[in-house]
Amino acid sequence: MSDRFIRAIFPGSFDPITNGHLDVIKRAIKLFDELIVAVGRSPIKNPLFTPEERVEMIAELVKDIPRVSVESFDCLTVEYAARKKADVILRGLRSLTDVQYEFQLAMTNRAVSGIDTVFVMTSERYGFTTSTMIREVAALGGDVSKLIPIAIYEKLKLKLANRRLG
Ligand code: ADP
């Protein structure tokens, strides 16, 4: 047994967090001593939730999972990792389609900073779930309640209703 403390960051957009992300978090915390879920503040295409809302929603979901915390960041992932003194970056894998992009990202991050990326495969139940698809299907009135935590589903319905009114 090693007595080394291993801190990981799990960067992503999480717009919104899905059952797939949560599954990765629950699997990964068995491998690390500390896991920081890191919501990227850099602009993504058509964000639905603000970074503050995403952090708040994730914090509520992980509040009973020991050693997991959540915050947002506004810089390069590798800079953020260095600032947090993270040992590794965690990313989730759904299918082979993810591998090519994630491979390039991981190699680039390692080339520029030396940090390694650890991948955790999600449950096959969530292998097709993407935040983008959830936003799009929900916006068109589809029922995505099986793909995201119920609290997130409620927030999503509210957000879309407010958007339609606004
Ligand atoms: P990004 O925009 O950085 O890809 P995401 O929030 O979409 O951010 O994803 C963050 C991480 O979670 C990525 O590693 C992504 O591959 C992974 N991920 C996304 N959806 C799922 C899912 N359903 N199951 C497991 N991992 C997922």
Side-chain angles (χ1 to χ4, degrees), residues 10-15 18-21 24 44 90-94 98 101-102 120 122 126-131:
F10 183 27
S13 316
F14 305 105
D15 187 34
T18 69
N19 286 344
H21 292 128
V24 168
I44 51 168
L90 166 71
R91 295 283 286 179
L93 286 180
R94 286 163 289 200
D98 278 343
Y101 171 73
E102 292 292 341
V120 167
T122 188
Y126 307 125
F128 60 93
T129 308
T130 77
S131 298

Side-chain angles (χ1 to χ4, degrees), residues 111-164:
V112 299
S113 78
I115 195 164
D116 272 304
T117 301
V118 170
F119 296 99
V120 167
M121 279 178 280
T122 188
S123 157
E124 55 279 15
R125 269 186 297 167
Y126 307 125
F128 60 93
T129 308
T130 77
S131 298
T132 307
M133 208 79 87
I134 283 172
R135 290 196 304 275
E136 287 172 3
V137 172
L140 295 169
D143 181 357
V144 292
S145 58
K146 291 195 178 63
L147 306 176
I148 50 178
I150 190 69
I152 306 298
Y153 181 59
E154 297 302 331
K155 292 249 164 47
L156 184 59
K157 280 198 300 191
L158 209 61
K159 175 67 105 179
L160 291 168
N162 285 340
R163 274 208 166 175
R164 275 192 289 271

